[in-house]
Structures are given as structure tokens and as C-alpha cells.
Amino acid sequence: MPVASQSHPPALAARHSWAIFMALSLVVGAFIYLLIPALLARGWSGPYAVTVPLGAGFLLMFAFTYVGLRSEGAMADWKERLRLTRPSAGDIGWGVALGLSMIASVVLVEGYVQDFILASVPMRPPQWFLDILKSSGTVFGAPGLGRWDFLALHLVLFALNIFGEELLFRGYLLPRQERFGHTYAWALNGLQWTAFHWFWFHVLPAILPTSLLLAWITLRRQSTWCAIIGHGMLNGLPVLGTFLTVAGFGG
């Protein structure tokens, strides 16, 4: 069986990529709706109850990427295969523009639709998440003043989240979707990443345009760094909030 090069990874049919996205999503959803509440019920502090399960989910994505690279024989050229070669100034600029667009979309769209969806859809987010939305001066529901260990946990979760998702979904899977011949591989990838977040159903209208834009720019620039920078800027805002809370500047 011939080994695919980093520039010609094996093609991935849409049904197979849907299976990968949704299988991983079900795992993360089970953690959010079942495991995290169980840990909280057993007395775990919020930051630990959230970070440990979700961190394990993101590590699973790293493992999937690693196994995929090995099966392709692409370990020696993993940076090229995952489109992680040194980013150009243009890649960085597009990544920053993407991040600003993602933040604007979440702020503008989420603010209008979140409460409406929560009031209209019978399904409910887990109570621990609703409690976090209502609380201030806390880190994942726990009093955060002076708890630098909570900030460290959040930073670890942030790194696992951004690199776990982007290396798999944009670095590993998107080139395979493109290789299959999908004219709009970015649209397929963006729709799948939106569906992946079903467990945050109350913000899906905000996630959809950002997911499509993220995949489109990444594919257009042929650089996963665009997605890492943009996604990192968006998800970095809660980390900044944790820092302000721990340092005593939060509300």
C-alpha cells in the first residue's frame, strides 16, 4: 500500500469525516452532561471537575492525530503534513483578523440569541454551566481570588483545547477532506465543527459563521496557524477573565 506524502494525504469521504467529528463530540458531550456533574456531586472543585474531563477529551484528539500521522507514514514530516510550517506575516495577519471576526460574531450574535434559545428549546445546558453563567468572581463556579492554581489549570485546558482541536480538525482532517475532491471542503469542515458543538446548542448561531470563516481562511492560506491564532484569540478571553478574577480585578 503506498504511503501518502504530506502534500497528498489520503482522501477522506464526507461520511467518514462526519463519523469522526460526531464520535468525538459524543465523548465530549458525555463528559459535559454526565462526568462533570458526577465529579461535582462527589465534591470536586469546579476548576478540577471541568479541566480533568475536558482535558482528557482534548488529549484524545491529540492521540487521534498522532495515530493518523503514523498510519500515513507522515511522522517525519508532521509539520508539513499538518500545515504547521513557519507562518508568514500574511498568515499571522489573517489569523488575527479571523480572531477579531470570531469575537465580534460571538459578541453580536450570542448576545441576541442565547436567552431566546434557552427559553425556547426544551433541552437545557447542564446546571453547572448555567451556574457559571450567573456567577461572578469565580473560576468555573469556585471562588477564585488568589487561586493561581485555577489559572494554571485554565491555561493547560486552553492549550489542550486550541491545539487538540486545530491540529486534528484543521491540520489533519481538512487536508484529507480537500484531497477527496470536495469543492467546498471548508464548508463541510465548518458545518461539522458547528455540529461538533451541539452540547453548547444555545450558542450554535454564533458558532456557525465563525466555524465556516475559520475553515475557509485556513484552507485558503494553507496554514493551520491561521486557525490556531483565531481560535486562540476567542478562547483566550475566558482565560483573561480567570486571570482578572484570581488577581482580584474581577467582579
Side-chain angles (χ1 to χ4, degrees):
M1 179 177 178
V3 175
S5 70
Q6 65 272 17
S7 59
H8 296 90
L12 184 67
R15 65 182 183 277
H16 296 147
S17 58
W18 273 112
I20 293 169
F21 269 87
M22 298 317 297
L24 290 170
S25 178
L26 289 173
V27 172
V28 175
F31 289 167
I32 290 172
Y33 279 86
L34 300 176
L35 183 54
I36 291 176
L39 294 177
L40 290 170
R42 293 179 65 86
W44 282 45
S45 177
Y48 289 90
V50 171
T51 300
V52 172
L54 293 185
F58 297 132
L59 285 173
L60 180 62
M61 297 178 195
F62 277 106
F64 197 103
T65 302
Y66 175 79
V67 170
L69 291 175
R70 284 191 63 89
S71 68
E72 292 181 18
M75 289 300 297
D77 300 306
W78 64 273
K79 286 186 179 181
E80 290 79 6
R81 169 61 183 84
L82 297 178
R83 296 175 177 172
L84 284 175
T85 53
R86 185 174 180 177
S88 67
D91 295 333
I92 295 172
W94 275 99
V96 171
L98 171 62
L100 294 174
S101 299
M102 294 175 74
I103 292 170
S105 175
V106 168
V107 170
L108 295 175
V109 178
E110 182 176 330
Y112 287 102
V113 303
Q114 176 174 281
D115 292 342
F116 173 78
I117 294 175
L118 288 176
S120 305
V121 178
M123 181 179 177
R124 301 290 290 170
Q127 188 59 45
W128 65 266
F129 182 75
L130 293 174
D131 291 342
I132 290 174
L133 290 180
K134 298 174 184 176
S135 63
S136 61
T138 68
V139 178
F140 296 119
L145 182 61
R147 294 299 303 265
W148 296 100
D149 58 321
F150 290 175
L151 177 60
L153 283 171
H154 204 164
L155 286 169
V156 170
L157 184 62
F158 169 81
L160 293 176
N161 177 192
I162 300 303
F163 287 98
E165 288 193 29
E166 294 310 328
L167 294 188
L168 175 59
F169 297 145
R170 253 64 63 180
Y172 180 69
L173 293 178
L174 183 55
R176 293 191 59 184
Q177 293 173 309
E178 181 185 21
R179 179 67 174 166
F180 188 75
H182 295 299
T183 304
Y184 299 103
W186 60 271
L188 175 63
N189 188 276
L191 288 172
Q192 289 173 334
W193 200 47
T194 300
F196 172 85
H197 290 90
W198 63 267
F199 37 78
W200 301 141
F201 65 92
H202 53 290
V203 293
L204 286 182
I207 292 176
L208 176 58
T210 62
S211 297
L212 294 171
L213 185 62
L214 182 144
W216 179 74
I217 289 177
T218 301
L219 191 59
R220 183 174 185 271
R221 298 294 304 182
Q222 297 285 291
S223 174
T224 305
W225 286 112
C226 296
I228 291 172
I229 293 169
H231 193 181
M233 288 176 62
L234 176 64
N235 285 27
L237 294 181
V239 179
L240 176 61
T242 293
F243 167 76
L244 294 175
T245 296
V246 171
F249 298 108

